[in-house]
Amino acid sequence: MAPPLTGLNCIEMKILILSAEKQQEIHRITDEAKRRGHKITFRILKKGLKINPDKFDVLLLRAIIGNVKLAERIAEKFYLREKPVVDEKLAKKIDRNKMENYIVFMHKHLYIPKTEYFTKSNLIKIKKFDSEWIVLKPLSGKRGIGIERIHKNELESRLKKFGETTYLAQEFAEIKKEYRVYVIDGKAIGGMEKVSKNWIHNIYQGAKPKKAILSTKIKEVAIDAAKSVETEIAGCDIGTTKKGLFVIEVNRSPGFAGYESLGKKFAVEIVKYVERKLKK
Ligand SMILES: Nc1ncnc2c1ncn2[C@@H]1O[C@H](COP(=O)(O)OP(=O)(O)OP(=O)(O)O)[C@@H](O)[C@H]1O
Ligand SMILES: [Mg+2]
């Protein structure tokens, strides 16, 4: 760990980090926060966890999948005591699932390939999608797990296997390049290209981070997307396609190990954002 910084013009914070899983990223945030003179407590988010908000100044939520309700309850307690929560939308209970995010993006005129809940009643619409191949995504998926591409001919048999409404069906988009753009507090602070040997571009699935210069257009789309779903610290995945810039996803607790492996700094940006939020 690097030596502590001295002479920083900031208040000492007691930060609580909650996450349903351990992550390399949490170690990085912890190191940077300690360097800046803050105290960090990390707890695994799981059933039975009891938190006294009075012991902390700020709550930073990382992975919450599987424990959303608990995360929201704890976030609300901090919020009611006027203590900063990142993401604040969890405290306000306005977090959305994948489909609801897509609907918001479409309302903001961001490009999303045709998408429907994968249900029997939507089969006719899904069959009319432009692409021959269809991407099936779990509603609360992450890191590319459970996502697959099937031919339209397989839709019926797959529906029988899956049951209703836990998956989305989406037109397959020919993505030429896929970028990860990091947006904090409405500013695109950096990004990279994700290079993959197959059509799935998650770093977790083996895609490689590559340095990239982001165009103004890509940055604007990422900023609009993050803003539209009120995500404070956002990892926006943007694909370039013939039909436009596809907003694949806005992650509210983005992985950044791949980005930092390119010699970039991200963990410190999270800590600085939390400092700014506490000062407000
Ligand atoms: N409609 C599509 N057409 C082509 N490729 C797609 C499409 N949707 C997703 N992909 C590819 O699959 C990857 C994973 O998709 P997506 O981000 O929707 O799911 P996830 O990563 O599992 O979820 P999350 O981002 O919430 O963690 C994308 O990064 C992209 O490379
Ligand atoms: Mg994704």
Side-chain angles (χ1 to χ4, degrees), residues 98 143-144 180 194 202 237 248-249 251:
K98 230 174 210 193
R143 297 179 187 149
R180 158 60 61 91
K194 294 185 283 168
N202 294 74
D237 290 329
I248 302 162
E249 184 68 85
N251 298 287

